[in-house]
């Protein structure tokens, strides 16, 4: 229990108002979630991470608010000392679209929306920023430097589309229906129709990583009541059958068609991170959590528990996907995973100074992808992992039943 102090007021106000449907704080149109999105609000009794997790989430969201840009968006590269040396945490990737989508997802995962509650105004400004820059074909990516655009375009669109579909699904705000639908239409149009997935260029190539984000957005859009035909999911099935290791069901690869060179050949190999993505895609497709292939893949994840021993094991991207898989699998598997992850995140969150509420991308050791994503990426992904246990995004709960 949280009996007193500012956190008690924050937590009590947020969840009491969610249950009673109290007065909105900024908009006279109250949120009316679809059935699937209402399901997530019920949570699972007795499964929450407790007051320390609540406090960590609220502190993380407060960090995001402090560093929101005036126009309403966020930037991956905002942080860093500018020296370009080993102590510089400035991200290599430039994508305001991805940064803004990730931040919105973190607020949504904590139960907030753009019509009600204390973060309604900054969330509304972020959504307005994205929608105002959406291209006629539905693409949400805001052009950045050519280097980032070469690989971040479809990643960024998928993340932003997921956030936009979440915003529509949890509120049924009519102003978001058209832009969310257009974002989904762009995803369908940019799918490689032969391979069944997505990679860096619309309509060309596929890998498990980009395809995982795209599938989440499509699934979220369908849960929100938007139009998503069966064909894209049927094509995704084709990709998953190619990405899985034929000799080890439930074990997945980044790209089985990667060039067999020193730089690219690793894409042909099974990894824990790609197995986490592939397993989540299989669960979204309707596979039962007790399926032997799912259990086999989950065993690989259990053999690679969260750790900050080095930059290979401190992998926020992997933790984000594996946390969702393990939450679905549940039982002792989930308890073991959460028992390793939650203390690691709570103990490493910055508690003082300008960056309080965030996670340092370089300490105690650099995160595996910190060079690309930086502090904001790391913080939003860790928040999403903390939130999955007890304030489930709709994708994380009973969508596979």
């Amino acid at each position: 229990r949280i009996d007193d102090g500012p956190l008690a007021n924050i937590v009590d106000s947020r969840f009491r108002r969610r249950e009673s449907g109290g007065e909105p704080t900024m908009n006279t149109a109250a949120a009316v979630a679809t059935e699937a999105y209402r399901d997530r609000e019920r949570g699972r009794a007795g499964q929450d991470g407790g007051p320390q997790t609540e406090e960590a989430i609220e502190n993380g969201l407060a960090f995001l608010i402090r560093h929101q840009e005036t126009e309403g968006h966020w930037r991956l590269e905002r942080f860093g000392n500018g020296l370009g040396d080993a102590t510089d945490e400035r991200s290599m990737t430039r994508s305001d679209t991805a940064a803004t989508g990730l931040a919105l997802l973190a607020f949504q995962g904590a139960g907030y929306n753009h019509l009600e509650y204390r973060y309604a105004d900054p969330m509304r400004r972020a959504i307005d920023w994205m929608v105002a820059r959406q291209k006629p074909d539905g693409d949400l990516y805001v052009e950045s430097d050519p280097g980032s655009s070469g690989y971040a375009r479809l990643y960024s669109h998928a993340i932003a589309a997921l956030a936009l579909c979440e915003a529509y699904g949890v509120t049924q705000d009519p102003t978001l229906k058209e832009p969310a639908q257009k974002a989904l239409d762009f995803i369908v149009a940019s799918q490689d129709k032969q391979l069944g997935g997505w990679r860096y260029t619309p309509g060309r190539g596929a890998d498990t990583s980009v395809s995982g984000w795209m599938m989440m957005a499509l699934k979220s859009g369908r849960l929100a009541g938007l139009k998503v035909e069966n064909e894209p999911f049927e094509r995704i099935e084709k990709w998953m059958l190619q990405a899985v290791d034929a000799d080890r069901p439930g074990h997945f690869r980044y790209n089985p068609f990667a060039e067999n060179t020193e730089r690219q050949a690793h894409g042909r190999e099974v990894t824990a991170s790609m197995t986490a993505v592939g397993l989540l895609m299989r669960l979204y497709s309707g596979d039962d959590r007790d399926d032997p292939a799912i259990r086999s893949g989950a065993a690989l994840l259990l053999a690679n528990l969260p750790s900050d021993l080095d930059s290979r094991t401190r992998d926020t991207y992997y933790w984000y996907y594996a946390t969702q898989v393990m939450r679905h699998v549940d039982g002792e598997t989930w308890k073991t995973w959460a028992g390793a992850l939650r203390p690691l995140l709570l103990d490493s969150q910055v508690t003082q100074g300008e960056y309080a509420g965030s996670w340092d991308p370089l300490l105690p050791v650099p995160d595996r992808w910190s060079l690309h994503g930086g502090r904001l990426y790391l913080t939003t992904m860790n928040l999403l992992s903390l939130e999955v246990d007890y304030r489930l995004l709709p994708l994380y709960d009973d969508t596979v039943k």
Side-chain angles (χ1 to χ4, degrees):
R1 287 180 54 83
I2 304 172
D3 296 320
D4 53 24
L7 183 59
N9 295 330
I10 291 171
V11 175
D12 180 64
S13 172
R14 183 169 108 223
F15 295 111
R16 184 180 69 245
R17 284 160 59 190
R18 283 174 53 137
E19 294 167 357
S20 65
E23 294 297 320
T25 59
M26 69 156 287
N27 193 311
T28 56
V32 181
T34 63
E35 182 179 356
Y37 279 80
R38 286 196 299 273
D39 282 345
R40 82 174 180 178
E41 296 185 358
R42 300 183 184 115
R44 295 185 181 182
Q47 294 295 318
D48 66 87
Q52 189 178 3
T53 301
E54 277 284 355
E55 185 173 14
I57 291 170
E58 291 296 336
N59 287 340
L61 298 180
F63 163 80
L64 294 177
I65 290 297
R66 290 197 304 273
H67 295 284
Q68 186 177 23
E69 300 295 324
T70 304
E71 292 182 325
H73 61 295
W74 281 268
R75 292 188 297 128
L76 293 177
E77 73 276 17
R78 175 169 180 142
F79 310 99
N81 60 29
L83 299 178
D85 59 20
T87 66
D88 190 358
E89 65 176 66
R90 185 164 298 169
S91 66
M92 178 190 299
T93 302
R94 305 287 190 266
S95 176
D96 295 353
T97 304
T100 304
L102 287 170
L104 279 169
L105 287 171
F107 286 102
Q108 291 163 344
Y112 294 108
N113 67 67
H114 65 282
L115 297 183
E116 303 171 306
Y117 318 129
R118 64 194 306 248
Y119 292 123
D121 179 64
M123 292 179 70
R124 175 80 257 182
R125 289 192 295 114
I127 291 170
D128 288 346
W129 180 89
M130 283 201 308
V131 172
R133 288 156 180 79
Q134 187 176 36
K135 299 180 181 70
D137 63 358
D139 186 4
L140 290 165
Y141 181 67
V142 176
E143 299 297 329
S144 58
D145 67 277
S148 295
S149 296
Y151 63 86
R153 179 180 303 278
L154 292 187
Y155 270 119
S156 302
H157 174 83
I159 292 167
L162 176 58
L164 197 56
C165 289
E166 292 260 344
Y168 176 67
V170 82
T171 65
Q172 291 294 283
D173 179 350
T175 68
L176 299 185
K177 184 175 183 178
E178 182 179 355
Q181 184 65 61
K182 288 172 61 178
L184 294 174
D185 294 343
F186 178 80
I187 290 177
V188 174
S190 63
Q191 187 177 27
D192 186 307
K193 304 305 187 293
Q194 297 300 315
L195 294 174
W198 294 260
R199 188 160 164 72
Y200 297 157
T201 304
R204 293 174 52 194
D207 66 55
T208 302
S209 182
V210 179
S211 298
W213 284 108
M214 290 294 195
M215 188 176 188
M216 279 195 287
L218 290 175
K219 194 74 173 183
S220 181
R222 181 172 276 187
L223 289 170
L226 297 166
K227 184 178 180 180
V228 183
E229 302 290 352
N230 290 329
E231 285 83 357
F233 292 105
E234 293 169 356
R235 290 193 286 264
I236 291 172
E237 180 72 21
K238 181 179 179 180
W239 173 253
M240 288 190 289
L241 291 175
Q242 296 173 103
V244 72
D245 189 312
D247 298 322
R248 290 179 289 175
H251 294 61
F252 288 85
R253 301 168 289 180
Y254 172 74
N255 181 8
F257 305 113
E259 294 181 17
N260 194 17
T261 64
E262 183 177 353
R263 182 177 180 183
Q264 300 292 333
H266 65 87
R268 297 167 171 252
E269 302 170 0
V270 166
T271 64
S273 60
M274 289 302 101
T275 293
V277 179
L279 288 177
L280 190 63
M281 295 173 74
R282 289 256 47 106
L283 288 167
Y284 290 171
S285 296
D287 287 12
D288 191 276
R289 66 185 180 186
D290 291 322
D291 184 288
I294 299 293
R295 290 289 176 176
S296 176
L300 176 63
L301 307 188
L302 278 182
N304 291 271
L305 290 172
S307 164
D308 59 4
L309 292 177
D310 55 50
S311 293
R312 297 290 295 180
T313 61
R314 189 190 180 199
D315 188 345
T316 297
Y317 172 91
Y318 164 57
W319 299 350
Y320 165 75
Y321 272 103
T323 297
Q324 298 173 63
V325 172
M326 299 310 217
R327 187 64 180 86
H328 274 306
V329 174
D330 216 354
E332 291 302 317
T333 297
W334 167 242
K335 290 180 181 178
T336 300
W337 179 268
L341 177 67
R342 188 178 293 125
L344 194 64
L345 295 185
L346 297 181
D347 293 344
S348 60
Q349 188 179 32
V350 178
T351 58
Q352 296 180 339
E354 178 186 4
Y355 294 164
S358 69
W359 279 265
D360 192 315
L362 302 179
L363 297 174
V365 296
D367 178 84
R368 186 176 182 184
W369 302 107
S370 61
L371 178 64
H372 292 277
R375 186 178 293 264
L376 186 133
Y377 152 81
L378 197 71
T379 297
T380 53
M381 295 287 272
N382 283 342
L383 287 173
L384 288 167
S385 290
L386 287 176
E387 290 163 354
V388 72
D389 182 25
Y390 60 103
R391 284 292 169 256
L392 303 179
L393 294 173
L395 297 178
Y396 306 165
D397 198 7
D398 295 325
T399 65
V400 299
K401 62 188 176 182

